[in-house]
């Protein structure tokens, strides 16, 4: 995927433009580099956006954006393409080992502004 970014890609409020909303295919992830962090961005069928760390905490490979998107109960999820652990896209918790904080994905704020997807500068605390 390629996107034409507006002239100013870093928003003064700490948000970074990563792509146009229309460039994201539903239920498919893309990887974005925000500062020095690789982030996996997902657009779901219902239009919701999620951003989590791109690094798989089990294998160490940067592959989460290539994972399989789905649901477990009410939770939107992504399954790692490496060893198939399933992560809640809202919290980053590994649903196969919810009590192991080492297996959580960092969750990043994401928003839609004027048809552009933006990632916030700060990581959101993953919930349990």
């Amino acid at each position: 995927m390629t996107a034409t970014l507006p002239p100013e890609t870093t928003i003064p409020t700490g948000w970074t433009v990563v792509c146009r909303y229309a460039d994201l295919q539903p239920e498919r992830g893309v990887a974005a580099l925000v500062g020095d962090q690789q982030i996996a961005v997902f657009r779901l069928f219902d239009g919701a956006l999620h951003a989590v760390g791109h690094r798989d905490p089990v294998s160490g490979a940067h592959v989460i954006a290539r994972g399989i998107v789905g649901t477990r109960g009410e939770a939107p999820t992504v399954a790692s393409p490496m060893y198939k652990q399933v992560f809640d896209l809202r919290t980053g918790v590994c649903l196969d080992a919810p009590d192991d904080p080492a297996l959580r994905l960092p969750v990043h704020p994401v928003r839609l502004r004027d048809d552009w997807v933006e990632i916030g500068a700060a990581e959101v605390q993953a919930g349990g």
Side-chain angles (χ1 to χ4, degrees):
M1 176 193 84
T2 58
T4 304
L5 297 177
E8 183 178 305
T9 59
T10 302
I11 309 304
T13 58
W15 292 88
T16 301
V17 175
V18 293
C19 65
R20 286 194 180 277
Y21 182 75
D23 291 335
L24 297 175
Q25 295 180 9
E27 306 292 307
R28 302 286 303 265
V30 298
L33 186 62
V34 178
D36 62 353
Q37 296 184 49
Q38 292 187 37
I39 298 174
V41 182
F42 298 91
R43 173 184 168 190
L44 304 184
F45 278 129
D46 67 3
L49 293 168
H50 295 278
V52 295
H54 187 44
R55 182 182 174 277
D56 177 350
V58 177
S59 69
H62 289 84
V63 295
I64 294 298
R66 299 292 170 238
I68 298 170
V69 176
T71 58
R72 192 175 281 182
E74 295 294 316
T77 62
V78 62
S80 170
M82 296 298 288
Y83 298 115
K84 311 304 184 239
Q85 284 80 12
V86 176
F87 299 90
D88 185 327
L89 287 170
R90 303 168 303 180
T91 64
V93 170
C94 177
L95 298 177
D96 300 317
D99 296 327
D100 189 346
L103 296 184
R104 292 184 181 177
L105 297 174
V107 177
H108 299 273
V110 60
R111 72 181 183 187
L112 181 61
R113 189 174 136 222
D114 298 326
D115 295 321
W116 291 95
V117 177
E118 299 176 348
I119 305 294
E123 177 184 324
V124 176
Q125 285 288 19

